[in-house]
Amino acid sequence: MPKFHNPETPAADFYIAGWIQKLERIGDLNYPGELVGNLKVKVVLNPQGGLQRIIMVHSSGNPELDAAAEQIIRLSFPYTPFSDQLKKQTRRIEIPLDMHFLGVRRVNVWQ
């Protein structure tokens, strides 16, 4: 199966940046207590702005933290449907995330 690549366009970049901002706001509001750790996931969004899949790429090693991270991701949906322009470019967006839980009420997400 060929490796998937998001379109490298301003429409895709804008859409991804907007969703990440929403995810960080949701993460700040739903921070999992004093849990600390890092994990890598890939989030797949469909054209309707819904969650298609969460793929755990690298666990934090703490099942409670992994579950909290997944819950934060799920709370960030639904999101805005793709623009007409973006729908012409792709049928999904895949967002790789490094999620860092730092033990304070702040979730940092870097691509």
Side-chain angles (χ1 to χ4, degrees), residues 37-103:
N38 303 305
L39 58 127
K40 291 179 187 247
V41 296
K42 185 182 292 185
V43 181
V44 184
L45 289 74
N46 65 32
Q48 294 76 39
L51 174 62
Q52 188 171 322
R53 278 179 81 192
I54 299 172
I55 302 161
M56 182 64 65
V57 176
H58 190 274
S59 167
S60 67
N62 180 339
E64 188 180 355
L65 182 58
D66 291 353
E70 185 171 327
Q71 179 63 18
I72 287 168
I73 291 167
R74 290 186 184 286
L75 288 170
S76 71
F77 290 94
Y79 187 57
T80 310
F82 291 6
S83 65
D84 290 340
Q85 181 183 8
L86 191 52
K87 282 181 190 172
K88 291 175 187 168
Q89 297 168 1
T90 190
R91 293 190 321 219
R92 71 178 189 252
I93 293 285
E94 293 186 2
I95 305 174
L97 300 173
D98 290 328
M99 299 183 77
H100 304 275
F101 294 86
L102 307 174

